[in-house]
Amino acid sequence: MISSDFNFESRFIEVNGTQIHFIERGTGQVFLFIHGNPTWSYLWRNIIPPVSSLGRCIAFDLVGFGKSARPDISYRFLEHYRYVEGFISRMGLKDIVLVGHDWGGVLGFYYAMNHPENIKGIACMETFPFTFSWDYFPLKFRLGFRLFRTPLIGKFLIMGLNVFVNRLLPASVYRGISREAHKEYQKMFPTIRSRYPVYVWPNELPIVGSENETFRAIKKIEAFLSECSFPILLFTARPGGIIRQERITWFSNTVSDLTIKDIGNGIHFVQEDNPSAIAEGIVEWARDKGIV
């Protein structure tokens, strides 16, 4: 059963002078869940409870998202990374299993590249630790993302009309998102200004032809993945959004210790389609790899 309830106590910690919201459940081996755009720790509500039987599950809200504070910063990839790295340091987290989705996965891989000694494994889904061209972008969403990256039009669509949260998010759930769950995502962006972090992320996508600092950072992740020694669990769904057959093959050819787990029907926000399969996959993989 997929519940819309968020039965967790909210906690806060100061990172780089900013209040960061997080939830946690369980004890022992650390599993750190990192969401992407435009979600928050609510995304993991149905996955954390069963995984917490194995260890200490922590999910935090990226700066500018969910219940975390919204300081006046750039909200670009490397700015977010400072807070991710700072959160892990302030919490004193060691020997982590990272669980990442969307930009949360990319941030997790970047942390692992910089701190491989602190990682026991990574479980990921619908994320992109690689660069890509517009041709690879799903046709259904290609025009929308081109518009999101167009000056003025992008701000109007994302900040003014809240299209990313109101339209794109539910369109990226295969089974359709419940009204109650959708409201939990919508209420985190009540004003035009509050949606600025959502607007920045599409403009950070590592698309060939836009070789900025974020693109270069993700190129480093690509190279790192062929060298990393810890196990990686890749969840796949049908038809998938970012992770489709071409990239499944790329992962298989790049990562030395890779496990692939198909979770059935799903597009991008697969946690809203089949959270039970994701939780079961993490538990099975962690036990099989001797992580717990």
Side-chain angles (χ1 to χ4, degrees), residues 24-38:
E24 67 174 299
R25 183 170 295 180
T27 59
Q29 170 63 54
V30 175
F31 292 81
L32 181 61
F33 294 77
I34 313 178
H35 71 86
N37 192 32

Side-chain angles (χ1 to χ4, degrees), residues 25-29 31 47-57 279 282-284 287 292:
R25 183 170 295 180
T27 59
Q29 170 63 54
F31 292 81
I47 297 169
I48 285 177
V51 179
S52 66
S53 65
L54 290 186
R56 182 187 179 195
C57 294
I282 293 172
V283 170
E284 180 182 338
R287 286 175 173 160
V292 295

